[in-house]
Amino acid sequence: MTVSDKSPKSIGNEEAKTFIISGNYAAAYAAKMARIEVVAAYPITPSTDCVEKVSEFVEDGVMGAELIKVESEHSVAGALIGASSTGARTFSSTSAHGLLYMAELVWWAALARLPVVMSIVNRELAPAWSIWAQTQDSMSLRDSGIIQYYCKNAQEVFDTLLMAYKVSEHEHVYMPSLVCQDAYILSHTNAQVDMPAQKDVDDFIGTYNPKHFILDPKNPVTHSNLSYPQHYRQKRFNIMESTHRAKQIIKDVCADYKKRFGRFHGDLVDTYGIDKKTKHIIVSHSSIAEEIELSVDMLKKKGYDAGLIRIRVLRPFPDEELRELCKNIETIHFIERAPSYGYKGIIAIDTMAALFESENRPKAFHHIEGLSGMDVTAEYAADLIEKDLETLK
Amino acid sequence: MTKSNDDFKVETWNSKPTKGAAGKTGLWRTFRPIIDDDVCTRCEICALYCPEPCITLNPDDPSHEKGRMVIEYEYCKGCGICANECPKHCIEMVKETEFLVEEEEEDK
């Protein structure tokens, strides 16, 4: 914690409350209750509502964060990197081109080991201009080391943001996080969000006390000076170790959250309808996955032993968990929003690589669906799976 | 909760300001600044502009009442800013190869 030993104020959430709010507002409330110290923002559709709400909180005096208005998303990340380097807890929210404009500094935050946390509203990239959901914006940054969570509803956005601070600020991690939600489907749709009392959130999340490095005028250091190959290699392997360790830390934090607040959205993966009999697994992500839960029920009624894996954390990737869940299945069906052009869906690529190390290699079917926020209904998804399975008859 | 039950530590690049943190940068030099001590007024403009900084005034040198300007060649990269800024134009940038012959002869 920087500047003073007093946490920034957060007024209005003294008691546990239930709100009917959008995913963007859920993120803003989570930022307020996490007592973030610095927020920088350059609003972009469809994440605008989040930083608008945060600036409203700050203006109303119910949130004690320092709000920095900057001239671009690149500067947003720059401001957050500077603030986080002094030991401040930081936050912002952006989308699509905003995120890609700050891409260089997303890598910087990750490689500098700064636990910046951002709420990302996944939006399709231009051209042509589109403002609807697609996850390529954040998924294209998956190699940077940044931890990425993909949420299925507004409640999960709120809970995951609090958990993200806890994970990112863990002394073995110190990596930034993106907490992602689908444009409009979550960001602008009002839904029930239960919020715990501020005191309980404070107990859970604690304060950020960096042990690895801090910018302090009383103890000047040069950070990230020219580094020769041997040192560079050592620090990069340190990042690999930290991001691998983050898997267990995410599981622990999710379990702790469940114990304290009674809510659990899965840890690295979320599953639905998987049991010993499951022969067909659908792998999906974000809000599509919540809809596909209904498809699983439909398929089961028709006699298919179907189940769902929702990739909740894309990095670090849950490879061991996938091998365990898929060890006895016959087919695996990917329904995802984000293609890697020239290959397959981004989640399919990673999942298939994980299963390559497995004894059991199920037959795979790939579907890129829901581009530009197109509706993927439960019926439509169930139909896709049924057609996949018919080809095997 | 996972606590630090082993020696693993997150490592970052933090260096304290120290002499020659990036190695002997004098090896980068192509031109060597040579000060003509007879013309030099010891105004210290060169020391002020040297970005490294590796020009200092040695006040104890008897060659002049103010002392003598000393260049630390182990770290001078030969950028030539001192020669450019010198109001007396008494710093000459000499090709390193010329000293190579001299130094070889010294070695013999």
Side-chain angles (χ1 to χ4, degrees):
Chain A
M1 234 166 54
T2 172
V3 188
S4 78
D5 288 335
K6 271 167 74 184
S7 279
K9 64 188 166 192
S10 169
I11 298 167
N13 285 80
E14 289 74 17
E15 306 289 324
K17 264 192 226 173
T18 298
F19 291 80
I20 305 293
I21 51 173
S22 66
N24 266 331
Y25 275 28
Y29 271 97
K32 171 174 163 289
M33 293 186 76
R35 295 187 192 270
I36 55 163
E37 293 166 279
V38 175
V39 53
Y42 189 81
I44 179 171
T45 303
S47 64
T48 308
D49 287 4
C50 176
V51 283
E52 258 177 19
K53 189 70 183 167
V54 167
S55 80
E56 192 184 307
F57 282 147
V58 172
E59 187 63 27
D60 289 350
V62 297
M63 180 172 177
E66 187 74 37
L67 177 78
I68 309 176
K69 285 171 269 183
V70 289
E71 73 280 20
S72 77
E73 286 89 354
H74 194 271
S75 305
V76 166
L80 297 186
I81 285 168
S84 186
S85 302
T86 69
R89 185 174 279 164
T90 56
F91 175 78
S92 188
S93 181
T94 191
S95 280
H97 292 271
L99 182 60
L100 292 193
Y101 190 30
M102 66 167 80
E104 180 201 4
L105 293 178
V106 168
W107 280 76
W108 192 284
L111 302 182
R113 318 301 300 267
L114 299 170
V116 174
V117 175
M118 286 192 282
S119 165
I120 300 300
V121 180
N122 287 128
R123 174 191 132 182
E124 187 71 84
L125 294 159
W129 283 110
S130 164
I131 49 172
W132 296 286
Q134 215 258 59
T135 49
Q136 261 175 328
D137 50 359
S138 56
M139 283 187 180
S140 65
L141 292 169
R142 68 194 178 280
D143 300 337
S144 65
I146 199 162
I147 299 169
Q148 304 195 358
Y149 304 84
Y150 290 87
C151 302
K152 70 174 180 184
N153 56 39
Q155 180 72 62
E156 189 181 344
V157 170
F158 176 84
D159 295 335
T160 306
L161 262 162
L162 298 181
M163 292 187 240
Y165 281 106
K166 186 101 175 169
V167 173
S168 282
E169 292 170 3
H170 190 285
E171 64 176 291
H172 285 175
V173 181
Y174 292 140
M175 293 299 279
S177 293
L178 302 180
V179 178
C180 308
Q181 54 179 307
D182 284 334
Y184 296 100
I185 300 162
L186 297 191
S187 72
H188 285 64
T189 306
N190 286 350
Q192 179 178 335
V193 178
D194 294 333
M195 292 179 203
Q198 180 67 51
K199 179 174 61 68
D200 297 331
V201 172
D202 290 344
D203 286 347
F204 169 72
I205 204 166
T207 53
Y208 174 41
N209 303 299
K211 291 185 177 167
H212 59 323
F213 123 82
I214 189 164
L215 284 186
D216 175 9
K218 286 183 199 129
N219 182 26
V221 292
T222 307
H223 181 65
S224 301
N225 206 343
L226 177 71
S227 175
Y228 285 95
Q230 215 155 13
H231 290 126
Y232 192 90
R233 177 182 182 276
Q234 184 189 334
K235 302 289 190 287
R236 286 297 183 265
F237 275 84
N238 190 265
I239 290 177
M240 281 160 76
E241 174 70 22
S242 278
T243 43
H244 281 292
R245 278 173 183 253
K247 285 192 212 176
Q248 187 57 45
I249 292 159
I250 290 169
K251 285 183 183 179
D252 292 345
V253 167
C254 290
D256 185 33
Y257 197 89
K258 185 185 181 185
K259 209 172 79 186
R260 286 166 187 263
F261 304 113
R263 279 193 299 279
F264 184 71
H265 310 278
D267 35 47
L268 297 171
V269 295
D270 181 23
T271 60
Y272 183 82
I274 293 180
D275 53 34
K276 280 179 187 160
K277 289 190 298 175
T278 304
K279 291 277 170 267
H280 314 293
I281 275 184
I282 307 166
V283 179
S284 192
H285 63 93
S286 307
S287 64
I288 296 187
E290 194 173 40
E291 182 75 8
I292 292 176
E293 291 176 5
L294 298 172
S295 313
V296 170
D297 292 342
M298 289 173 187
L299 288 163
K300 284 193 177 196
K301 266 188 199 155
K302 287 189 176 176
Y304 297 104
D305 294 322
L308 168 71
I309 298 175
R310 177 169 66 92
I311 303 291
R312 184 167 176 269
V313 179
L314 183 66
R315 283 293 182 279
F317 193 69
D319 56 338
E320 287 156 26
E321 290 71 14
L322 284 165
R323 281 195 286 276
E324 180 61 28
L325 286 164
C326 296
K327 66 181 177 189
N328 292 319
I329 63 164
E330 288 167 9
T331 62
I332 188 162
H333 309 257
F334 297 98
I335 300 180
E336 51 181 316
R337 271 212 171 93
S340 172
Y341 295 122
Y343 199 21
K344 298 178 187 311
I346 289 170
I347 283 176
I349 295 167
D350 287 339
T351 307
M352 297 306 282
L355 296 186
F356 185 77
E357 290 178 35
S358 166
E359 302 250 316
N360 178 40
R361 295 191 197 153
K363 166 98 182 127
F365 296 90
H366 302 275
H367 303 283
I368 301 293
E369 295 291 346
L371 291 182
S372 192
M374 253 173 85
D375 237 1
V376 180
T377 61
E379 293 81 2
Y380 179 75
D383 199 41
L384 281 177
I385 309 306
E386 244 186 302
K387 280 180 182 154
D388 286 347
L389 295 174
E390 271 168 24
T391 64
L392 297 176
K393 279 178 186 164
Chain B
M1 290 307 305
T2 309
K3 284 278 172 228
S4 44
N5 47 10
D6 56 37
D7 296 338
F8 180 72
K9 272 199 177 81
V10 166
E11 295 171 5
T12 52
W13 290 269
N14 307 318
S15 50
K16 298 257 178 187
T18 176
K19 186 170 173 177
K24 301 257 158 103
T25 47
L27 293 170
W28 304 6
R29 196 171 56 239
T30 317
F31 290 92
R32 186 185 299 189
I34 301 290
I35 301 174
D36 185 344
D37 286 336
D38 298 337
V39 185
C40 172
T41 63
R42 278 67 168 168
C43 69
E44 295 184 70
I45 292 281
C46 54
L48 194 66
Y49 277 94
C50 177
E52 284 310 312
C54 52
I55 310 180
T56 45
L57 178 74
N58 174 13
D60 301 329
D61 195 284
S63 66
H64 188 276
E65 58 176 358
K66 286 184 184 167
R68 180 169 169 262
M69 300 311 297
V70 182
I71 299 176
E72 200 163 344
Y73 290 114
E74 274 197 335
Y75 299 106
C76 164
K77 294 171 182 167
C79 69
I81 289 176
C82 54
N84 204 47
E85 296 297 335
C86 177
K88 288 280 171 195
H89 307 291
C90 70
I91 304 178
E92 190 188 352
M93 299 304 291
V94 185
K95 249 192 169 173
E96 280 294 325
T97 46
E98 292 186 22
F99 298 100
L100 204 64
V101 181
E102 243 172 60
E103 279 159 17
E104 271 172 8
E105 274 168 9
E106 270 172 31
D107 287 346
K108 282 173 197 169

Short mmCIF file of all heavy atoms in Angstrom, two decimals, chain A residues 113 170-172 212-213 219 222-224 227-228 234-236 238 241-242 245 252, chain B residues 1-6 8-17 21-23 28:
data_model
loop_
_atom_site.label_atom_id
_atom_site.label_comp_id
_atom_site.label_asym_id
_atom_site.label_seq_id
_atom_site.Cartn_x
_atom_site.Cartn_y
_atom_site.Cartn_z
N ARG A 113 5.97 -7.68 -13.61
CA ARG A 113 5.36 -8.34 -12.44
C ARG A 113 4.50 -7.38 -11.63
O ARG A 113 4.60 -7.29 -10.40
CB ARG A 113 6.44 -8.96 -11.54
CG ARG A 113 7.55 -9.68 -12.28
CD ARG A 113 7.02 -10.79 -13.14
NE ARG A 113 6.31 -11.81 -12.39
CZ ARG A 113 6.86 -12.92 -11.92
NH1 ARG A 113 8.13 -13.16 -12.11
NH2 ARG A 113 6.15 -13.81 -11.26
N HIS A 170 -0.69 -12.22 -4.89
CA HIS A 170 -0.04 -13.27 -4.11
C HIS A 170 1.48 -13.18 -4.31
O HIS A 170 1.95 -12.95 -5.43
CB HIS A 170 -0.55 -14.64 -4.56
CG HIS A 170 -0.11 -15.76 -3.67
ND1 HIS A 170 1.18 -16.25 -3.68
CD2 HIS A 170 -0.77 -16.48 -2.73
CE1 HIS A 170 1.27 -17.23 -2.79
NE2 HIS A 170 0.10 -17.39 -2.20
N GLU A 171 2.23 -13.36 -3.25
CA GLU A 171 3.68 -13.13 -3.32
C GLU A 171 4.41 -14.10 -4.25
O GLU A 171 5.57 -13.86 -4.60
CB GLU A 171 4.31 -13.15 -1.93
CG GLU A 171 4.22 -14.48 -1.24
CD GLU A 171 4.95 -14.47 0.10
OE1 GLU A 171 6.18 -14.39 0.07
OE2 GLU A 171 4.27 -14.52 1.14
N HIS A 172 3.75 -15.17 -4.64
CA HIS A 172 4.38 -16.08 -5.61
C HIS A 172 3.92 -15.78 -7.05
O HIS A 172 4.36 -16.44 -7.98
CB HIS A 172 4.04 -17.54 -5.27
CG HIS A 172 4.82 -18.04 -4.10
ND1 HIS A 172 4.61 -19.28 -3.56
CD2 HIS A 172 5.80 -17.47 -3.38
CE1 HIS A 172 5.43 -19.45 -2.53
NE2 HIS A 172 6.16 -18.36 -2.41
N HIS A 212 8.31 -7.81 -3.91
CA HIS A 212 9.32 -8.01 -4.96
C HIS A 212 10.01 -6.72 -5.37
O HIS A 212 11.18 -6.71 -5.67
CB HIS A 212 8.70 -8.70 -6.18
CG HIS A 212 7.55 -7.96 -6.81
ND1 HIS A 212 6.62 -7.27 -6.09
CD2 HIS A 212 7.17 -7.83 -8.11
CE1 HIS A 212 5.73 -6.73 -6.92
NE2 HIS A 212 6.04 -7.06 -8.15
N PHE A 213 9.25 -5.62 -5.40
CA PHE A 213 9.87 -4.36 -5.84
C PHE A 213 8.87 -3.24 -5.66
O PHE A 213 7.67 -3.43 -5.77
CB PHE A 213 10.37 -4.52 -7.28
CG PHE A 213 9.82 -3.54 -8.28
CD1 PHE A 213 10.38 -2.27 -8.40
CD2 PHE A 213 8.77 -3.89 -9.10
CE1 PHE A 213 9.90 -1.39 -9.34
CE2 PHE A 213 8.28 -3.01 -10.03
CZ PHE A 213 8.84 -1.77 -10.15
N ASN A 219 14.43 5.04 -1.33
CA ASN A 219 15.31 3.92 -1.61
C ASN A 219 15.37 3.70 -3.12
O ASN A 219 14.78 2.78 -3.65
CB ASN A 219 14.78 2.67 -0.90
CG ASN A 219 15.69 1.48 -1.10
OD1 ASN A 219 16.89 1.64 -1.34
ND2 ASN A 219 15.11 0.30 -1.06
N THR A 222 16.91 1.34 -10.04
CA THR A 222 16.56 1.34 -11.45
C THR A 222 15.83 0.04 -11.70
O THR A 222 16.33 -1.03 -11.38
CB THR A 222 17.82 1.40 -12.32
OG1 THR A 222 18.60 2.50 -11.89
CG2 THR A 222 17.46 1.57 -13.79
N HIS A 223 14.62 0.15 -12.26
CA HIS A 223 13.84 -1.06 -12.51
C HIS A 223 13.91 -1.40 -14.00
O HIS A 223 13.72 -0.53 -14.84
CB HIS A 223 12.40 -0.85 -12.07
CG HIS A 223 11.55 -2.05 -12.28
ND1 HIS A 223 11.76 -3.22 -11.60
CD2 HIS A 223 10.52 -2.29 -13.11
CE1 HIS A 223 10.89 -4.12 -12.00
NE2 HIS A 223 10.12 -3.58 -12.92
N SER A 224 14.17 -2.68 -14.30
CA SER A 224 14.19 -3.16 -15.68
C SER A 224 15.23 -2.46 -16.53
O SER A 224 14.95 -2.06 -17.66
CB SER A 224 12.80 -3.03 -16.32
OG SER A 224 11.88 -3.77 -15.59
N SER A 227 19.45 -5.82 -19.49
CA SER A 227 19.75 -7.09 -18.84
C SER A 227 20.44 -8.01 -19.83
O SER A 227 20.01 -8.16 -20.96
CB SER A 227 18.45 -7.71 -18.36
OG SER A 227 18.70 -8.99 -17.83
N TYR A 228 21.52 -8.63 -19.39
CA TYR A 228 22.26 -9.56 -20.26
C TYR A 228 21.55 -10.90 -20.29
O TYR A 228 20.78 -11.23 -19.38
CB TYR A 228 23.71 -9.64 -19.81
CG TYR A 228 24.47 -8.39 -20.21
CD1 TYR A 228 24.62 -7.33 -19.33
CD2 TYR A 228 24.94 -8.26 -21.51
CE1 TYR A 228 25.27 -6.17 -19.72
CE2 TYR A 228 25.59 -7.10 -21.90
CZ TYR A 228 25.75 -6.06 -21.02
OH TYR A 228 26.37 -4.92 -21.41
N GLN A 234 16.86 -16.07 -16.61
CA GLN A 234 16.49 -16.42 -15.24
C GLN A 234 15.16 -15.79 -14.83
O GLN A 234 14.29 -16.44 -14.26
CB GLN A 234 17.62 -15.93 -14.33
CG GLN A 234 17.46 -16.29 -12.86
CD GLN A 234 18.51 -15.56 -12.04
OE1 GLN A 234 19.58 -15.20 -12.54
NE2 GLN A 234 18.21 -15.33 -10.78
N LYS A 235 14.97 -14.52 -15.20
CA LYS A 235 13.75 -13.82 -14.82
C LYS A 235 12.55 -14.35 -15.61
O LYS A 235 11.43 -14.38 -15.13
CB LYS A 235 13.90 -12.31 -15.06
CG LYS A 235 15.04 -11.66 -14.31
CD LYS A 235 14.76 -11.57 -12.83
CE LYS A 235 15.79 -10.71 -12.12
NZ LYS A 235 17.10 -11.36 -11.99
N ARG A 236 12.79 -14.72 -16.88
CA ARG A 236 11.68 -15.25 -17.68
C ARG A 236 11.24 -16.61 -17.16
O ARG A 236 10.05 -16.91 -17.13
CB ARG A 236 12.11 -15.36 -19.15
CG ARG A 236 12.19 -14.02 -19.85
CD ARG A 236 10.84 -13.35 -19.91
NE ARG A 236 10.90 -12.09 -20.64
CZ ARG A 236 11.05 -10.91 -20.07
NH1 ARG A 236 11.15 -10.80 -18.76
NH2 ARG A 236 11.08 -9.81 -20.80
N ASN A 238 11.43 -17.43 -14.14
CA ASN A 238 10.74 -17.08 -12.91
C ASN A 238 9.27 -16.78 -13.20
O ASN A 238 8.37 -17.16 -12.44
CB ASN A 238 11.45 -15.88 -12.28
CG ASN A 238 10.97 -15.57 -10.88
OD1 ASN A 238 10.10 -14.72 -10.71
ND2 ASN A 238 11.51 -16.26 -9.89
N GLU A 241 7.48 -20.07 -13.82
CA GLU A 241 7.21 -20.74 -12.54
C GLU A 241 6.01 -20.08 -11.84
O GLU A 241 5.11 -20.76 -11.37
CB GLU A 241 8.47 -20.67 -11.67
CG GLU A 241 8.31 -21.19 -10.26
CD GLU A 241 8.15 -22.70 -10.16
OE1 GLU A 241 8.57 -23.39 -11.10
OE2 GLU A 241 7.60 -23.17 -9.15
N SER A 242 6.00 -18.75 -11.82
CA SER A 242 4.91 -18.03 -11.15
C SER A 242 3.56 -18.33 -11.80
O SER A 242 2.57 -18.55 -11.11
CB SER A 242 5.14 -16.52 -11.21
OG SER A 242 6.03 -16.13 -10.20
N ARG A 245 2.48 -21.76 -10.91
CA ARG A 245 2.03 -21.80 -9.51
C ARG A 245 0.66 -21.15 -9.35
O ARG A 245 -0.10 -21.50 -8.44
CB ARG A 245 3.03 -21.05 -8.62
CG ARG A 245 4.23 -21.89 -8.24
CD ARG A 245 5.25 -21.06 -7.52
NE ARG A 245 6.43 -21.86 -7.24
CZ ARG A 245 6.75 -22.30 -6.02
NH1 ARG A 245 6.01 -21.99 -4.99
NH2 ARG A 245 7.82 -23.03 -5.84
N ASP A 252 -7.04 -22.33 -4.71
CA ASP A 252 -7.13 -22.03 -3.28
C ASP A 252 -8.00 -20.80 -3.02
O ASP A 252 -8.81 -20.79 -2.10
CB ASP A 252 -5.72 -21.79 -2.70
CG ASP A 252 -4.89 -23.06 -2.68
OD1 ASP A 252 -5.48 -24.15 -2.86
OD2 ASP A 252 -3.66 -22.96 -2.50
N MET B 1 -5.00 -21.51 2.44
CA MET B 1 -4.34 -20.63 1.48
C MET B 1 -2.89 -21.07 1.26
O MET B 1 -2.22 -21.51 2.16
CB MET B 1 -4.32 -19.20 2.03
CG MET B 1 -5.67 -18.51 2.07
SD MET B 1 -6.53 -18.52 0.51
CE MET B 1 -5.32 -17.79 -0.58
N THR B 2 -2.45 -20.88 0.02
CA THR B 2 -1.04 -21.16 -0.28
C THR B 2 -0.19 -20.06 0.34
O THR B 2 -0.36 -18.90 0.03
CB THR B 2 -0.81 -21.18 -1.80
OG1 THR B 2 -1.77 -22.04 -2.36
CG2 THR B 2 0.57 -21.69 -2.13
N LYS B 3 0.65 -20.45 1.23
CA LYS B 3 1.56 -19.47 1.84
C LYS B 3 2.97 -19.82 1.38
O LYS B 3 3.21 -20.87 0.79
CB LYS B 3 1.44 -19.51 3.36
CG LYS B 3 0.19 -18.81 3.86
CD LYS B 3 0.39 -17.30 3.94
CE LYS B 3 -0.93 -16.61 4.26
NZ LYS B 3 -1.23 -15.48 3.42
N SER B 4 3.88 -18.93 1.71
CA SER B 4 5.25 -19.19 1.26
C SER B 4 5.86 -20.31 2.11
O SER B 4 6.45 -20.05 3.14
CB SER B 4 6.08 -17.91 1.37
OG SER B 4 5.80 -17.30 2.60
N ASN B 5 5.66 -21.54 1.66
CA ASN B 5 6.22 -22.66 2.41
C ASN B 5 7.48 -23.19 1.71
O ASN B 5 7.96 -24.26 1.99
CB ASN B 5 5.19 -23.77 2.58
CG ASN B 5 4.50 -24.09 1.27
OD1 ASN B 5 4.92 -23.60 0.22
ND2 ASN B 5 3.45 -24.87 1.31
N ASP B 6 8.02 -22.44 0.76
CA ASP B 6 9.28 -22.80 0.14
C ASP B 6 10.07 -21.53 -0.18
O ASP B 6 9.66 -20.44 0.18
CB ASP B 6 9.06 -23.64 -1.12
CG ASP B 6 8.17 -22.94 -2.12
OD1 ASP B 6 8.30 -21.71 -2.25
OD2 ASP B 6 7.37 -23.61 -2.78
N PHE B 8 10.70 -20.14 -3.03
CA PHE B 8 10.41 -19.44 -4.29
C PHE B 8 10.15 -17.96 -4.06
O PHE B 8 9.39 -17.58 -3.18
CB PHE B 8 9.23 -20.07 -5.01
CG PHE B 8 8.91 -19.38 -6.31
CD1 PHE B 8 9.74 -19.52 -7.41
CD2 PHE B 8 7.80 -18.56 -6.41
CE1 PHE B 8 9.46 -18.86 -8.59
CE2 PHE B 8 7.51 -17.90 -7.61
CZ PHE B 8 8.35 -18.06 -8.70
N LYS B 9 10.79 -17.15 -4.89
CA LYS B 9 10.60 -15.70 -4.79
C LYS B 9 10.40 -15.13 -6.19
O LYS B 9 11.07 -15.55 -7.13
CB LYS B 9 11.85 -15.04 -4.19
CG LYS B 9 11.85 -14.99 -2.69
CD LYS B 9 12.87 -13.91 -2.24
CE LYS B 9 12.86 -13.75 -0.73
NZ LYS B 9 13.65 -14.75 -0.03
N VAL B 10 9.47 -14.19 -6.30
CA VAL B 10 9.32 -13.47 -7.56
C VAL B 10 10.53 -12.55 -7.74
O VAL B 10 10.89 -11.82 -6.83
CB VAL B 10 8.01 -12.67 -7.59
CG1 VAL B 10 8.01 -11.66 -8.73
CG2 VAL B 10 6.81 -13.61 -7.71
N GLU B 11 11.15 -12.65 -8.91
CA GLU B 11 12.36 -11.85 -9.16
C GLU B 11 12.08 -10.77 -10.18
O GLU B 11 11.42 -11.01 -11.18
CB GLU B 11 13.48 -12.75 -9.71
CG GLU B 11 13.94 -13.79 -8.71
CD GLU B 11 14.89 -14.80 -9.34
OE1 GLU B 11 15.26 -14.63 -10.51
OE2 GLU B 11 15.25 -15.75 -8.63
N THR B 12 12.58 -9.58 -9.92
CA THR B 12 12.47 -8.49 -10.89
C THR B 12 13.85 -7.86 -11.05
O THR B 12 14.76 -8.13 -10.27
CB THR B 12 11.46 -7.42 -10.43
OG1 THR B 12 11.79 -7.04 -9.10
CG2 THR B 12 10.05 -7.94 -10.48
N TRP B 13 13.96 -7.03 -12.07
CA TRP B 13 15.24 -6.37 -12.32
C TRP B 13 15.32 -5.08 -11.51
O TRP B 13 14.78 -4.07 -11.93
CB TRP B 13 15.36 -6.01 -13.79
CG TRP B 13 15.53 -7.12 -14.73
CD1 TRP B 13 16.71 -7.65 -15.15
CD2 TRP B 13 14.51 -7.84 -15.43
NE1 TRP B 13 16.48 -8.66 -16.06
CE2 TRP B 13 15.15 -8.79 -16.24
CE3 TRP B 13 13.13 -7.78 -15.42
CZ2 TRP B 13 14.45 -9.67 -17.06
CZ3 TRP B 13 12.42 -8.65 -16.22
CH2 TRP B 13 13.09 -9.58 -17.03
N ASN B 14 15.95 -5.11 -10.39
CA ASN B 14 16.12 -3.89 -9.62
C ASN B 14 17.61 -3.68 -9.43
O ASN B 14 18.26 -4.50 -8.80
CB ASN B 14 15.46 -4.00 -8.25
CG ASN B 14 14.01 -4.42 -8.38
OD1 ASN B 14 13.29 -3.94 -9.25
ND2 ASN B 14 13.58 -5.34 -7.55
N SER B 15 18.13 -2.61 -9.99
CA SER B 15 19.55 -2.36 -9.76
C SER B 15 19.73 -1.04 -9.04
O SER B 15 19.06 -0.06 -9.33
CB SER B 15 20.32 -2.40 -11.08
OG SER B 15 19.69 -1.57 -12.03
N LYS B 16 20.64 -1.06 -8.10
CA LYS B 16 20.99 0.18 -7.39
C LYS B 16 21.96 0.94 -8.29
O LYS B 16 22.77 0.33 -8.98
CB LYS B 16 21.70 -0.15 -6.08
CG LYS B 16 20.82 -0.93 -5.14
CD LYS B 16 20.31 -0.01 -4.06
CE LYS B 16 19.37 -0.79 -3.14
NZ LYS B 16 18.73 0.08 -2.19
N PRO B 17 21.89 2.28 -8.27
CA PRO B 17 22.86 3.05 -9.07
C PRO B 17 24.28 2.67 -8.64
O PRO B 17 24.60 2.69 -7.45
CB PRO B 17 22.55 4.50 -8.70
CG PRO B 17 21.17 4.48 -8.14
CD PRO B 17 20.98 3.12 -7.52
N ALA B 21 27.32 -0.06 -14.21
CA ALA B 21 26.27 -1.08 -14.10
C ALA B 21 26.09 -1.85 -15.40
O ALA B 21 25.69 -3.00 -15.40
CB ALA B 21 24.96 -0.42 -13.68
N ALA B 22 26.40 -1.20 -16.54
CA ALA B 22 26.23 -1.87 -17.84
C ALA B 22 27.56 -2.37 -18.39
O ALA B 22 27.69 -2.61 -19.58
CB ALA B 22 25.54 -0.93 -18.82
N GLY B 23 28.57 -2.50 -17.55
CA GLY B 23 29.87 -3.00 -18.01
C GLY B 23 30.81 -1.88 -18.41
O GLY B 23 30.50 -0.69 -18.25
N TRP B 28 33.02 0.47 -26.28
CA TRP B 28 32.17 0.81 -27.41
C TRP B 28 32.80 1.91 -28.28
O TRP B 28 32.34 2.19 -29.37
CB TRP B 28 30.79 1.34 -26.93
CG TRP B 28 30.03 0.44 -26.02
CD1 TRP B 28 30.44 -0.74 -25.48
CD2 TRP B 28 28.70 0.65 -25.51
NE1 TRP B 28 29.48 -1.27 -24.67
CE2 TRP B 28 28.39 -0.45 -24.68
CE3 TRP B 28 27.74 1.66 -25.69
CZ2 TRP B 28 27.17 -0.57 -24.03
CZ3 TRP B 28 26.53 1.55 -25.05
CH2 TRP B 28 26.24 0.44 -24.22
#
